[in-house]
Amino acid sequence: MVPDISTGSRTYGLLNYLYGPGRRDEHTDPHIVASWMPGLAPDPGRDPAATLKQLTDRLDLPVLALQKNRRPARHVWHCPVRTAPGDRLLTDDEWAEVARRIVHATGIAEEGDDKACRWVAVRHADDHIHLVATLVRENGRRPRRHEDGIRAQAECRKIEAEFGLQILNGGDRTAAQRPTSAERAKAERAGRTETPRETLRESVRQALAGATNEEEFFRRLAEAGLRIEKRIAPSGDTLGYKVALPGDRNRDGEPIWFSGSRLAPDLSLPRIRQRLEAGLPDQDTPLNDRSGARESRPARARREAAHVAERSASALSGDDDAGSAAQLVGVGELLDAVAQTSPASTRRELAEAARAFERATRSHTRAVHADNRAIRSAARGIIRAGNALGKGEDGGATAMLLSTMVLVAVAAARWHSARGHAQQAAASQLAAQHLRTAYRAAATVPMNSMHEHGRRLPETTRRRHAESVAATLPNQADHIRREPGWDALAATLDQAESAGHDPAALLKEAIEWRELDTADNVTDVLVWRLRRLGKLPAAVTPPHAREARTTPPAADRSPQPTPSVPSTRLAQPDLRTRSPRR
C-alpha cells in the first residue's frame, strides 16, 4: 500500500480531476467513501443535486474564514493511497477505515479532534483512493503534519499486516524524491517517457561518474546539454548549483530548475565535493592490463574494470561497513560509466540497471570515500576509453565485465539484506536482473564461438580438462560438465594451455579468487575469470572462420605451403571508437 503526499493551491481543480473521466477514461464511479463529517460533505458522484463547487466551498470554508494575508499559499493536501498489484480488492468500508487511519496518523484529523482539518476520501478505481484535505483547522490554526509522509508509510505497513495485503518495504529517508503527479502529467502531455526530474538525475549521475574534480563535473554537465546555474558567494566561491532541461519551462516561460539536493540527497554540491576530494589514484596513466597490444581501449578498460569490480564484490562480504558503503557508491559510478558507453544491444538494460542500483548506493551507513578510489578510477577509464562496439574484443570484454557485475549486484543485495536495508536490497536485486539480461545479449556471440571451439577439441583433450575440473572442484564437476557452458570452459582451458599456462593451476586460482555460490552459471563465471587471469583474448575466432581466412580462393591457390594458424587469435581492433555520451 503506497501513499504519496503532495500539496497544491486549487481545491476545485483537484476535485474536478478526481470526479472527471481521467486522462484515458480510467475513472469509474467516483464517489466519497469517508469524510470529516458525512452530513456536511456533498458527494457529486452519488447525489445528483450536489456539485463540485458545493464540495469545494465546504472544504475551503476554514481557509476562506481567514484574512487573505493569513491564508496558506498551498492549502490543499493530497494523498493517493494505492494497493500493490496482486492485492485483493478492498470494499468501500475498508477504504473508509484506511482513510480515517491515515488522516489520524498524519495529523490532518486525529480521532476525537473536533477542530481538525476538513477532508474527504474519493474512490474512482478499484485499487486506490484519493485523500483531499484543506490545511486550516476549524480554529484557524495549521495542522501539525511534520513528517506526514513517514507517518503515512508507517501506518500503511500496519494496515497491510492487518488486512492481509502485501507488506511493502519501508522507507529510510535516503531515497531520491519521486516525481510529483503534476510532473508525471506534464511529461505525458509532452510525450516524454520520464519526467525532467528523472532525466536530470540520470544526467548528473553520469557527469559525476569517474570525474576527478568539480571543474570536470560542470564541464560534463554542459556537454550533456543541460542548463546550469551556479550559486556564487561574494568571495567568488561556488556554494551550490541547479540544472534545467532546455525547453522545460513553467507558465511564465521561465526554466524549471532543480538543485542537486532536489534530484537526490547525494547530488548536492557538498556531497559531491566529499566524493571528489577523495581523489583518483593515477588518474591518467594507461591501463595496466595489456592482454594484447592490438586490443582496443574500450576492451582494455572493461578488463581492468572487471578485475576491480570483483574485488568490490569480495569487499562487500567483509565487516567494514563504511568501506562497503563506499564500494557501493563506486559500483554505481561504474554502472553509469558502462551504461553511457555501451553498444546499442545492451544500452537499454544497462541504463535500467544503473537507475535501479542508484537506490542501492544510499543508506544511513556513512561511506569512507577513500576506499572506492580504485573502482572510481575504473569508471573513469571506461569513460576515457570511449564507446565500445558490440563485437570482437569489445563485445567479449563487455560480457566479461557484465558477468562480474551480476555477482557484484547479488553481493550488494546480500549486504543490504543483512543490515535491514529493504529498499536497497530490492534495488540491488532489480539491478542484477537487468544485468543478467544485458550479459546474455553481450555474451551470445563470444560464448558461441568458444562453444564451437570446445566441441571441436579432440576427445582426449576434453577428457584431460575434465579431469582438471574434477580435481579442483570434485563436488561440482558433474554439474559443471552438464552446464551449457562446458564446451566454452574446455576451450578456455585449452587456450590457456596453448598460451603456456598450467590449466589446473590457473583453474585453481580462478576458483580461489572468490566463492561461486552466487553464480547463476558457474562455467560462465569461470570462463571469464580464466580469460582475465590468463590474459586470453575475450573474443575467439570460430574455427571455420579461421579456416576461411587462411584458405585462398581456388583461382589464387599456389603450391606454396600454407602457414600454420595459431589456435587463438586476437580480434582486429575497430578504430571507429567514439567518445562517450556525456
Side-chain angles (χ1 to χ4, degrees), residues 244-493:
L245 280 183
D248 185 30
R249 297 179 178 275
N250 59 21
R251 293 178 180 177
D252 299 325
E254 299 170 340
I256 299 178
W257 297 97
F258 290 84
S259 64
S261 58
R262 285 184 63 201
L263 296 176
D266 56 343
L267 294 182
S268 66
L269 189 57
R271 297 284 293 275
I272 287 174
R273 281 173 173 163
Q274 289 176 8
R275 192 185 304 188
L276 295 177
E277 284 169 2
L280 296 172
D282 304 325
Q283 294 166 359
D284 295 307
T285 57
L287 297 170
N288 56 30
D289 184 350
R290 294 182 175 83
S291 56
R294 297 157 68 185
E295 191 177 42
S296 70
R297 284 170 55 86
R300 291 203 306 275
R302 279 158 171 72
R303 277 181 174 270
E304 178 72 11
H307 178 73
V308 175
E310 194 141 24
R311 289 210 307 261
S312 291
S314 298
L316 290 171
S317 62
D319 298 327
D320 181 5
D321 281 5
S324 294
Q327 291 294 330
L328 291 171
V329 173
V331 170
E333 287 197 34
L334 182 58
L335 272 174
D336 283 324
V338 175
Q340 61 185 303
T341 59
S342 63
S345 59
T346 56
R347 185 173 301 151
R348 179 177 178 182
E349 288 295 336
L350 288 174
E352 292 296 333
R355 290 189 191 105
F357 198 82
E358 182 251 358
R359 181 68 186 94
T361 62
R362 291 191 305 275
S363 68
H364 286 299
T365 304
R366 185 173 181 177
V368 178
H369 289 294
D371 290 346
N372 66 8
R373 289 181 178 179
I375 197 163
R376 292 196 65 238
S377 292
R380 178 173 177 77
I382 285 176
I383 294 290
R384 289 173 53 221
N387 287 354
L389 300 176
K391 59 185 179 180
E393 280 296 301
D394 281 8
T398 297
M400 179 185 292
L401 174 57
L402 296 185
S403 173
T404 305
M405 293 305 294
V406 172
L407 298 180
V408 176
V410 171
R414 287 188 169 190
W415 187 87
H416 281 302
S417 294
R419 287 151 184 81
H421 305 162
Q423 289 193 1
Q424 292 88 337
S428 301
Q429 292 167 351
L430 179 58
Q433 292 175 15
H434 288 295
L435 285 166
R436 288 186 182 100
T437 302
Y439 167 74
R440 287 193 289 268
T444 298
V445 172
M447 289 299 285
N448 283 346
S449 297
M450 285 184 255
H451 287 171
E452 185 174 351
H453 185 151
R455 285 193 296 267
R456 291 181 176 231
L457 291 174
E459 188 57 34
T460 54
T461 303
R462 290 168 59 87
R463 191 179 304 115
R464 187 174 69 253
H465 295 318
E467 290 171 355
S468 296
V469 173
T472 313
L473 283 172
N475 296 328
Q476 300 184 51
D478 290 340
H479 173 72
I480 288 174
R481 292 192 64 182
R482 289 194 298 269
E483 281 194 355
W486 161 244
D487 291 323
L489 179 57
T492 300
L493 290 170

Side-chain angles (χ1 to χ4, degrees), residues 497-517:
E497 188 174 46
S498 299
H501 295 285
D502 178 349
L506 191 64
L507 182 61
K508 186 173 185 296
E509 183 182 355
I511 292 168
E512 291 177 347
W513 176 258
R514 189 174 177 272
E515 51 82 23
L516 296 169
D517 296 340

Side-chain angles (χ1 to χ4, degrees), residues 33-56:
V33 295
S35 68
W36 84 98
M37 190 175 291
L40 291 182
D43 186 358
R46 294 288 173 87
D47 183 358
T51 66
L52 288 176
K53 186 176 186 309
Q54 289 175 340
L55 180 56
T56 300

